[in-house]
Structures are given as C-alpha cells and as structure tokens.
Amino acid sequence: MLTRVNEHPRRAAVRHLVTTDGMTREDVLRFIHLAEHLRGLPRERLRQRLPGRVIATLFYEPSTRTRLSFESAALKLGANVVGAENAIENSSAKKGEALADVFRIVGAYADAIVVRHHEPYTMAEAARLSPVPIINAGAGWGEHPTQALLDLYTISRELGRIDGLRIAVMGDLKYGRTVHSLLNLLRLFPGVRVTLLHLASLGLPEPLAHRLRADGLELTEASDVAAVLPEVDVVYQTRVQRERLERPEELEGAGRFRIGPEELALLPAHARILHPLPRVDELDAAIDEDPRAAYFRQAENGLYMRMAILDDLLGGDAV
Amino acid sequence: MLTRVNEHPRRAAVRHLVTTDGMTREDVLRFIHLAEHLRGLPRERLRQRLPGRVIATLFYEPSTRTRLSFESAALKLGANVVGAENAIENSSAKKGEALADVFRIVGAYADAIVVRHHEPYTMAEAARLSPVPIINAGAGWGEHPTQALLDLYTISRELGRIDGLRIAVMGDLKYGRTVHSLLNLLRLFPGVRVTLLHLASLGLPEPLAHRLRADGLELTEASDVAAVLPEVDVVYQTRVQRERLERPEELEGAGRFRIGPEELALLPAHARILHPLPRVDELDAAIDEDPRAAYFRQAENGLYMRMAILDDLLGGDAV
Amino acid sequence: MLTRVNEHPRRAAVRHLVTTDGMTREDVLRFIHLAEHLRGLPRERLRQRLPGRVIATLFYEPSTRTRLSFESAALKLGANVVGAENAIENSSAKKGEALADVFRIVGAYADAIVVRHHEPYTMAEAARLSPVPIINAGAGWGEHPTQALLDLYTISRELGRIDGLRIAVMGDLKYGRTVHSLLNLLRLFPGVRVTLLHLASLGLPEPLAHRLRADGLELTEASDVAAVLPEVDVVYQTRVQRERLERPEELEGAGRFRIGPEELALLPAHARILHPLPRVDELDAAIDEDPRAAYFRQAENGLYMRMAILDDLLGGDAV
C-alpha cells in the first residue's frame, strides 16, 4: 500500500524524504490523507504510533520553528527526540569531521534523522550513507519538501482541492527553497496555473523553470501585483532570503511585492494567502485577522504533516 | 476551585503566569500547597499528571539552571519538552522575525510555552497572542514570578509561615527581577516587615516602592548590615546584575553587602538565608553547610513549584 | 553483585563514573556483559529499565555525537533527558557562577548528570558535590572512561577476547584522553602488549607511562608503522587534538601516521582498526568498507555501552 518515497539506491527497505523529485500525485495525496487522519486521533491513540522510536534533529542552520514543529510531531506520536539546535557550532564540525561520518554514526543511534543544512547537496549524500530515513528540513537554496507538502495540505484543506487552481507565487523565487519544492509538486496537479511575481534579480532558476514547463506546469511571468490578485485562488508570498543575496542592490523595488490591506482588498473572497514564515515586512500584520490570511493555520498544519511524514517513513507496518 | 491567574483578556479559558500583579494570597497558597502535594507523590503517580503534553521552553536569554528546572518538572509530570536553549542566536530572530509570530506558531505546536526574555514587555505581548499558557521564566529587569513563588514556598517550608516575618532583602534591588516579584507577593501577607539593604545606585525602582507602600507593605531602608541581621527571620540575598549595569562605578562599595561567616554569626539560630542563584561573590561558600543556608534547598523547591505551576495551568481538570 | 565504581567519599550510596582509576577487570567485564545483554532486549523491555528517570547532559565542550549517544541510550531505557548543548555559552557560567553550584543544583533536578568539560579536574569536584551519579563524558586532555569501556566492548566483540592481544595505539597520545583511559583499563588484562606510534612531541605523558609500566602493562615505543602493522591484532588510531596543541610545529610529520589502503594491506586478516571518531585525515575513507575497519561498529557499540553504564549506575535494584 505504501509507495516508496526517495528510496535508497542500495537498501530497498530504507525510505527517505530528501527531494520532491520522483514524488507522485499519489504520494502527495497519501501524505495529506494521513495528516488529516492523525489530526483526528485522540492524544492517547497518537502516542501509540511510534512508541520508543528515537528521532534525531540535526540543524546546521538553526531554525527554532521548524525544529520545534518536527520535534513536537515526533513526541506527539510517542517517539523521543535527540537534537542539535546549532550543529555547526556545537559539534565536531569544528574539528573538521566529515558530515558523511555524522550521518553514519547518528544513524546508528536514532531511528530517523531530520536535517537542515545550508548546502543543498548534503541531502543526497546523507540519504546515500544513513542506515535510517533522512528527512530534509530545508537545504540551502535547494529544496524544502516537507514545507511543500504542508503547503499543499493547507491549500487542499482551505479550498477543497488543488487541481485547476490559479496560484500567484511572489517574492524571492531564486533562493526560496520552499517555492522550488512547491512548484515541483504543483506540477503533478492537472490544470494548475502559476503566475510568478518577483524582482528581476530574484526569478526562478532557469533550469527549474524549464523543467517545470517541460512537465506541463503553466508558468506565467507578471509584474503588476494589482492586476494579478483579483484573478487568483491562492497567493503564496515569500520572504526575501537576505542572508543568501550576493548584492544588496538585488533588493531595490521589493516594496512593490508587499501585501497589506490595499492588496488584500483586491483578492477574491474565497482566496487564501499562504506564507512559509518567518516573514519580515512583505506581509503586513494588519491583515492577520482576515479569514483569507491562512499562514498561521498553515503553520499549524505543519505539525500534522510532519506527523504524517514521520509516521509514514517509520511506522509503516503499524498502520 | 481554581482561581484565574493572569487570565487572557479575550480567551477566558487560557491562563498564563506572566506577572505577579493581580495574584492573590489564595493563589500563592494554592501553588505552595500543590507543590508540597506533588513532592509527596511516587514517581509513577506523578507521570500520570500531564501525559503526552508538549511544553516548549523558549530562552532568549540562556539559563541552564532555570531551563533544566522547568524541563525536569515537565518530564517528571509525564509531559514532553521541546526547547530552544539559545533562541536569540539559533532562530529566525536573526532573520528579523517578530516575536509575536513565534508565540502564535509555537502555540500551535505546544500545550504551554515557558519564556525567558531580556525585554520585560515581551511577556504581556506573548500572553495576548499565544493560544496556550505562557509562563514567564524571567523577563529582563522586570519580573520573575515563578522564582517568587518558589521563594515563598521555601520561606513557608523553612519557617512554617510567611505572615508577620521580618525579611532583609539585599543586593541589587534595581535590576533584580526576582526581588521585584517577591516583594509584590509579600505585599499579600499581613505583618511582613521588609528591610532594604543596597548600594545607593541599586535601590528599588521608585514607582514599585511607592506602589508596595500604598498597598500596605512595610518597607524600611537601612545601610548597616550588622545592625539588621540580628533582627530578621529571613535574609534574601541577590547577585548584582552586572550585565545590566550602565556604569561600572555603580558597583563601588558592594563588598559591604557580602554574607560570610562573620555575618552569619549575627543571624538568629532560626533565621534562613535565601538566594535565587547563581551567586558570584556576595555569598561566601564557607557558609554553605550551615543549616541556616537554605539556598540549595530553595533551588530544589523550584522543581516542585514549577511542577505545581505546570500542573495548575495545564492539568486543572485532572486534579 | 554490583561492584562500587568511583564511589563517593561521603555518600556511600552514590556511585559515579568519572575515572578509570580504581576500576577492576570485573567492573569492565560486568559493563561489557550488561551492554551485550541490553543489546538483545526488545524495545519494549528496554523501556522498562529506567522509566521516569531524568538524565541531565551538561556539555561545556560541545559534542553532538557523544551527547546524542548518551541521550539516545537514556531514552531507549525509558528515561527522559534534559540537556545543555553548549553549557559554557548558554548558562550562568557567563555570570561568573561556580561550577560547583551547578552540580549541586542540577543534582536536585536530575537522577544523573553526564558532563563533558574542557578542564580535567572538574570531574572529581563534580563527584564530590553532586547528590546523584556523575558520568564523565570527556574531560579535557584527561580521561574519557565511557569511551574506553566501549572500546574494550568493541575489541571483545570483534576478537572474542582482550587478554593477550597485541595492540598498536597511534596518533596523539599526549592530549588524547581516550588513549589515557583505554591504556589504564588495558592494564587490567593479562598479556596485553601495546605498541605506541606517535610524533615525538605527542607521546604519552610520562607519569602515566610510568604508572602503567609499574602496573605491569607492556608498553613499547616504535616509529615504523609498516613494521608494526603486520604484528598486531588491533590498531587504535586517534585524531591529533589540534585544538589543544601549543605550537603548530608539533604536527610536522603527522602524515607518517595515516592509515589508508597501503597500510591496510599490511594488516593481518583477523585484525581490527578502531578509532574513537571524529576523524580528520588520519583514516582514509577509502578503507571504510573493509571488514577490518571496525570504527562505525564501535560507534554503534557506544550506544549499548552507554545504556549499560546508565542502567548500572541508576537501575541497580531493578536488575
């Protein structure tokens, strides 16, 4: 019944979640279904899903929210957690140790490893070496597959479907890893039409745009936010990844892509605004209480999606 | 049966512990009684108080002892813990995220949030936004209500009562948040007489002193430690908060307020010395083994008081 | 049945593991036996060994692998964990607090304390003051007794015995605390012959070498790696502790002590290569898949040995 997600090349029994590449529409729907199922279980039943399992969280790029989301998910399923809040500073990385060794060794202690790293290529290496499932919790400017899954869970929950939706994706499409993973999965849903809104310097990496179009995703570039907003079902807003910019000039004109009360007024009543958070100033707090502002519900959905991912990768036989 | 502590203005069901303002004598006695009750329960019974709850600890000012005290308390009650040991460094605070967002989001994962922050005004904001109980674990130069509760638990346990005691409060009364919260609660106990001993530059903030006196707390200023010690039941010694001083000159003459064997000799046999710890040099280790030195027992009492607070805020219906 | 390991001078009931001094052959064999026993228990049985205990991990020198090894071991035995990933930065150490106070206070919250510290003499002080067992998880250039126990467990498991083996110990014998503890325990096994291979500047501290020889351990100095390798049963390779070197010149010629495919070719088929990890360049990854490369199995054995240590020190009456 379980589809293999990011299967290990040599060890058929170990499944990872390190990239959205190779995932199917059925994979996505299965995760969404499982997240919704777990959400409905009472606390006591949840705790019987992964009793006694140990989940390791290795964060080479610190992120309190994402780490706490994974750790809460694991604990609510009855698993235990060991973690490194700031692995780059607080570990033998300083002594020159290869990451490869870390994954082999921690894989001997833990039943799964959740990794965030500043270097996109780390994840494939981790999956190659680890004897236990690797879950990508954000890889530099690369991918962030669990975020994309929770984004789709949110869209599906808020609007009842994903197929055929019109989605504006705004902000930093160059370094925004959540956008990369989200578009790569939207590709699997027929009829989805995506409008890209971004500064000239922060567009989608060309190879990715090319691949998405080749796979049939309708991608349109636009520059006039006010013209796009009345036509969409979903606005996916993102933060400029200032820490990854090469030159500050890349940011000039970013104010055009902010969403505040004026932009909200242009949005259809049924539409939803998503944001992976954290935000800086691209999303005005003045709109937080509008029912179309879905980003805090989206964050909460993250808890259930991460439960689903852990449960799926670790607890298969217990379902 | 449960009094509402720091009730949320909009959500009546969510109770916080962010300030000693508004607390009643009955609140304090209830917490003390519950701490003593939990202390007597066997390990197995304790673990059934908060099974499966997730407590988040967000420390924006790192503090190993206080964090471990809260985390141990939560775990002994059967709850689980997710935490940020150094939230300011290891989180999106660096990316410019508003704290307000953090509380809303972490409140979606966890059943309560224990917060330490360098900015006193953070706590009210957290309580306003969080969907789950916020517990103030120290707020800049402002308040530290759980410390004040464990201080009163210690006084009550060591001396059998709080009403009518003579208490000398020494050290840094300006930046010492534990003193602010303690005096604010001592106000609720009839007949308590407080003597303040401090450097000229480190006195109680005037608005607080004024308010305490208006509420009927007897506050006397003194400068001769040797004259005060023979007359008191409790000495509450504190560390100078060097990290909050504006000018090093504020420290001149601090030596006068140290307690060592000579000062101990002046203290009545039944009296007790408390200190919130950590100490630097204001409390000589040479007196540690004297039965009047109550500060290590006070630290241990902190474990039970924090159990009581978590149990009271989270487990009300399970009592 | 239980031998007292590093018994507390004043509190007979509290046992610590802070040094290999005073340990007996029977202690070592008991730990090895218990590790192997725990390894064979199903997950559910393991979790009933230390239910509800709280283990504190205080790392004043951060080390993700060692900390996660201890924490995983504790969790798998059913205990809970509170920890400080970077205690030196994230604690009142910054406020000038004495370590002595930390051990007394954390000992009031937790049932055992696992400590790593840069200062070798800390451990004896901790054991003197703590009301609960202290476990040394690495003390500066001093000792690392749990590593030595897992090393011996690995040797015993890989080769079927310890008595009478020929063991080459290579690398940094001056600052390498794992070597100090390992040799101190090898002393207890009859017929063991040790060959030391190291840079002139990185030899065994003379007082230790003298004591080991006085106790009957056969220690030989050598300089030609190629001549030694064909004659040994075990190669114990170590990393140069660059962070503890006084002068970079101490490192000249270190290349002579690397192990790669050429050196491996000289090693008998039954021999084993151990390394406490992390490694830098003294162990070529090209040999990782050879069955004689035992270091990843050694890391995994660490999990079971740390379970045995926690179980022995904390759960004595539950066996």
Side-chain angles (χ1 to χ4, degrees):
Chain A
M1 171 196 154
L2 294 173
T3 308
R4 294 249 155 76
V5 177
N6 299 329
E7 193 175 310
H8 192 289
R10 287 182 305 178
R11 299 188 198 85
V14 181
R15 297 182 303 130
H16 304 283
L17 184 58
V18 298
T19 169
T20 52
D21 286 346
M23 288 185 70
T24 66
R25 193 171 187 279
E26 287 64 41
D27 285 329
V28 175
L29 295 177
R30 175 168 48 86
F31 281 121
I32 289 176
H33 182 264
L34 183 53
E36 193 64 22
H37 173 67
L38 295 173
R39 184 175 213 135
L41 292 184
R43 205 195 298 264
E44 300 69 34
R45 293 268 314 275
L46 274 181
R47 294 173 64 206
Q48 293 159 14
R49 305 290 292 196
L50 300 177
R53 303 302 193 295
V54 173
I55 312 298
T57 54
L58 296 183
F59 276 64
Y60 289 87
E61 264 191 347
S63 166
T64 296
R65 282 179 312 97
T66 305
R67 186 171 53 80
L68 263 51
S69 168
F70 270 108
E71 295 187 357
S72 298
L75 292 169
K76 282 171 191 275
L77 294 170
N80 293 301
V81 172
V82 293
E85 177 170 348
N86 193 346
I88 199 76
E89 275 305 301
N90 298 340
S91 82
S92 47
K94 278 183 164 176
K95 302 176 188 163
E97 180 172 35
L99 259 181
D101 284 6
V102 175
F103 293 121
R104 284 187 79 156
I105 295 169
V106 175
Y109 307 150
D111 297 295
I113 309 177
V114 177
V115 185
R116 171 164 290 196
H117 201 273
H118 42 87
E119 165 57 74
Y121 304 108
T122 302
M123 295 297 162
E125 175 81 352
R128 195 173 63 79
L129 288 164
S130 167
V132 300
I134 296 287
I135 298 170
N136 175 353
W141 49 261
E143 281 222 51
H144 197 348
T146 71
Q147 178 72 44
L149 285 169
L150 77 89
D151 295 340
L152 291 174
Y153 177 34
T154 302
I155 292 172
S156 161
R157 214 167 189 260
E158 297 275 334
L159 293 166
R161 65 187 172 110
I162 302 171
D163 293 345
L165 293 180
R166 295 158 304 169
I167 302 177
V169 179
M170 290 176 66
D172 179 351
L173 314 187
K174 183 177 179 188
Y175 300 105
R177 60 194 171 200
T178 69
V179 167
H180 303 167
S181 292
L182 177 61
L183 292 175
N184 206 30
L185 291 183
L186 281 174
R187 188 178 47 95
L188 305 170
F189 292 82
V192 168
R193 285 169 290 165
V194 174
T195 305
L196 306 173
L197 286 156
H198 57 86
L199 288 174
S201 58
L202 294 176
L204 216 52
E206 192 42 50
L208 175 59
H210 183 79
R211 191 151 54 87
L212 291 171
R213 285 195 174 101
D215 281 356
L217 183 64
E218 189 181 317
L219 283 181
T220 312
E221 298 273 346
S223 60
D224 183 355
V225 176
V228 169
L229 291 180
E231 307 293 329
V232 296
D233 304 300
V234 174
V235 178
Y236 192 88
Q237 173 70 304
T238 64
R239 174 179 71 85
V240 172
Q241 307 272 313
R242 283 184 177 77
E243 66 275 30
R244 304 193 206 278
L245 291 184
E246 284 148 23
R247 294 162 297 118
E249 308 90 77
E250 292 181 288
L251 262 185
E252 258 169 56
R256 275 196 296 140
F257 299 106
R258 292 194 183 129
I259 298 183
E262 269 182 65
E263 289 73 24
L264 185 70
L266 300 170
L267 208 63
H270 77 280
R272 291 293 182 267
I273 302 171
L274 274 71
H275 190 299
L277 302 178
R279 62 177 158 183
V280 184
D281 54 11
E282 68 281 358
L283 210 53
D284 190 333
I287 68 168
D288 286 0
E289 306 307 325
D290 189 280
R292 289 168 289 182
Y295 30 89
F296 288 121
R297 296 192 293 275
Q298 180 186 4
E300 185 173 2
N301 292 339
L303 178 70
Y304 299 105
M305 180 48 79
R306 276 146 187 161
M307 278 188 196
I309 291 163
L310 290 168
D311 191 84
D312 181 89
L313 291 179
L314 282 168
D317 46 24
V319 177
Chain B
M1 172 195 154
L2 292 173
T3 307
R4 295 249 155 75
V5 177
N6 299 329
E7 194 175 307
H8 191 288
R10 288 183 304 179
R11 299 188 198 84
V14 181
R15 295 183 306 130
H16 304 283
L17 184 59
V18 298
T19 168
T20 51
D21 285 348
M23 287 186 71
T24 65
R25 193 171 187 278
E26 287 63 42
D27 285 329
V28 175
L29 295 177
R30 175 167 47 87
F31 280 121
I32 289 177
H33 182 263
L34 183 52
E36 193 65 20
H37 174 66
L38 294 174
R39 185 175 213 135
L41 292 184
R43 204 194 301 263
E44 301 68 34
R45 293 269 313 275
L46 273 181
R47 294 174 65 207
Q48 293 159 14
R49 306 288 294 195
L50 301 176
R53 303 301 194 293
V54 173
I55 312 298
T57 54
L58 297 183
F59 276 63
Y60 288 87
E61 264 191 346
S63 166
T64 295
R65 284 179 311 98
T66 304
R67 187 171 53 79
L68 263 51
S69 168
F70 271 109
E71 295 188 358
S72 298
L75 293 168
K76 281 172 190 275
L77 293 170
N80 294 302
V81 171
V82 293
E85 178 170 346
N86 192 346
I88 198 78
E89 275 304 301
N90 297 339
S91 83
S92 48
K94 277 183 162 176
K95 302 175 189 163
E97 179 171 35
L99 258 180
D101 285 6
V102 174
F103 293 121
R104 284 187 79 155
I105 295 169
V106 175
Y109 307 151
D111 297 294
I113 308 177
V114 177
V115 186
R116 172 165 288 197
H117 201 272
H118 42 88
E119 165 56 75
Y121 304 108
T122 302
M123 295 297 161
E125 176 81 353
R128 195 174 64 79
L129 288 164
S130 168
V132 299
I134 296 286
I135 299 170
N136 175 353
W141 48 262
E143 279 222 53
H144 197 348
T146 70
Q147 178 71 44
L149 285 169
L150 78 88
D151 294 341
L152 290 174
Y153 177 34
T154 303
I155 292 172
S156 160
R157 215 169 189 258
E158 297 276 335
L159 294 166
R161 64 187 173 112
I162 302 171
D163 293 344
L165 292 180
R166 295 158 303 168
I167 302 178
V169 179
M170 290 176 68
D172 179 352
L173 313 187
K174 181 177 179 188
Y175 300 106
R177 59 195 172 200
T178 68
V179 167
H180 304 165
S181 292
L182 177 61
L183 292 176
N184 207 28
L185 292 183
L186 281 174
R187 188 178 48 96
L188 305 169
F189 292 83
V192 168
R193 285 171 289 164
V194 174
T195 305
L196 306 174
L197 286 156
H198 57 86
L199 287 175
S201 56
L202 295 175
L204 216 54
E206 191 43 48
L208 175 59
H210 183 78
R211 192 151 54 87
L212 292 170
R213 285 197 174 99
D215 281 357
L217 184 63
E218 188 180 318
L219 283 181
T220 312
E221 299 273 346
S223 60
D224 182 357
V225 176
V228 170
L229 291 180
E231 306 293 328
V232 296
D233 304 301
V234 174
V235 178
Y236 192 88
Q237 172 71 303
T238 64
R239 175 180 70 87
V240 172
Q241 307 272 314
R242 283 184 178 76
E243 66 275 30
R244 304 194 206 279
L245 291 184
E246 284 148 25
R247 292 161 298 117
E249 309 89 78
E250 292 181 287
L251 263 184
E252 257 168 57
R256 274 196 297 140
F257 299 107
R258 291 192 183 130
I259 297 183
E262 268 182 65
E263 289 74 22
L264 185 70
L266 301 170
L267 208 62
H270 77 280
R272 292 293 183 267
I273 302 171
L274 275 71
H275 190 300
L277 303 178
R279 62 176 158 184
V280 185
D281 53 9
E282 68 281 358
L283 210 54
D284 190 333
I287 68 168
D288 285 0
E289 306 308 325
D290 189 279
R292 289 167 289 182
Y295 31 89
F296 289 121
R297 296 191 294 275
Q298 180 187 5
E300 185 172 0
N301 292 339
L303 178 71
Y304 299 104
M305 180 49 78
R306 276 144 188 163
M307 279 188 194
I309 291 164
L310 290 167
D311 191 84
D312 180 89
L313 292 178
L314 283 167
D317 46 24
V319 178
Chain C
M1 172 196 154
L2 293 172
T3 307
R4 294 248 155 77
V5 177
N6 300 327
E7 193 175 309
H8 191 289
R10 286 182 306 178
R11 300 189 198 84
V14 181
R15 296 182 304 130
H16 305 283
L17 185 58
V18 299
T19 169
T20 51
D21 285 348
M23 288 185 70
T24 65
R25 193 171 187 278
E26 287 63 42
D27 286 330
V28 175
L29 295 176
R30 175 167 49 86
F31 281 122
I32 289 176
H33 183 262
L34 182 53
E36 193 64 22
H37 173 67
L38 295 173
R39 185 174 213 135
L41 292 183
R43 204 194 299 264
E44 301 69 33
R45 293 269 312 275
L46 272 181
R47 294 174 64 207
Q48 293 158 14
R49 305 288 294 195
L50 301 177
R53 301 304 192 293
V54 173
I55 312 297
T57 54
L58 296 183
F59 276 64
Y60 288 87
E61 263 191 347
S63 166
T64 297
R65 284 179 312 96
T66 304
R67 187 171 54 79
L68 264 51
S69 167
F70 271 108
E71 295 188 358
S72 298
L75 293 168
K76 282 172 189 276
L77 293 170
N80 293 302
V81 171
V82 293
E85 179 170 346
N86 192 346
I88 199 78
E89 276 304 302
N90 298 340
S91 81
S92 48
K94 276 183 163 175
K95 302 176 189 162
E97 180 172 36
L99 259 181
D101 284 6
V102 175
F103 293 121
R104 284 186 79 155
I105 295 169
V106 175
Y109 307 151
D111 297 295
I113 308 177
V114 177
V115 186
R116 172 165 289 195
H117 201 273
H118 41 88
E119 164 57 73
Y121 304 107
T122 302
M123 295 297 161
E125 176 82 352
R128 196 173 63 80
L129 288 164
S130 168
V132 299
I134 296 287
I135 299 170
N136 175 352
W141 48 262
E143 280 222 52
H144 196 348
T146 70
Q147 178 71 43
L149 285 169
L150 77 88
D151 294 340
L152 290 175
Y153 177 34
T154 302
I155 292 172
S156 161
R157 215 169 188 260
E158 298 275 333
L159 293 166
R161 64 187 173 112
I162 302 171
D163 293 344
L165 294 179
R166 296 158 304 170
I167 302 178
V169 179
M170 290 175 67
D172 179 351
L173 314 188
K174 181 177 179 188
Y175 300 106
R177 59 195 172 200
T178 68
V179 167
H180 303 167
S181 291
L182 178 60
L183 293 176
N184 206 29
L185 291 183
L186 282 174
R187 188 178 48 97
L188 305 170
F189 292 84
V192 168
R193 285 170 289 166
V194 175
T195 305
L196 306 173
L197 286 156
H198 58 86
L199 288 173
S201 57
L202 296 175
L204 216 53
E206 191 44 47
L208 176 58
H210 183 79
R211 191 152 53 88
L212 291 171
R213 286 196 174 100
D215 281 357
L217 184 63
E218 188 180 319
L219 284 180
T220 312
E221 300 272 346
S223 59
D224 183 356
V225 176
V228 170
L229 291 180
E231 307 293 328
V232 296
D233 304 300
V234 173
V235 177
Y236 193 89
Q237 172 70 303
T238 64
R239 173 179 73 85
V240 172
Q241 307 271 315
R242 284 184 177 77
E243 66 275 30
R244 304 194 206 278
L245 291 184
E246 283 149 24
R247 292 161 299 119
E249 309 89 78
E250 291 181 289
L251 262 184
E252 258 167 55
R256 274 196 297 140
F257 299 106
R258 290 190 186 132
I259 298 183
E262 267 182 68
E263 289 74 22
L264 185 69
L266 301 171
L267 208 63
H270 78 280
R272 292 293 182 266
I273 302 170
L274 275 71
H275 190 300
L277 303 176
R279 62 177 159 184
V280 185
D281 54 9
E282 69 281 358
L283 210 53
D284 190 334
I287 68 168
D288 286 359
E289 306 307 325
D290 189 279
R292 288 167 290 182
Y295 30 89
F296 289 121
R297 296 192 295 275
Q298 181 187 3
E300 185 173 0
N301 292 339
L303 178 70
Y304 299 104
M305 181 49 78
R306 275 145 188 163
M307 279 188 195
I309 291 164
L310 290 167
D311 191 84
D312 181 88
L313 291 179
L314 283 168
D317 45 25
V319 176

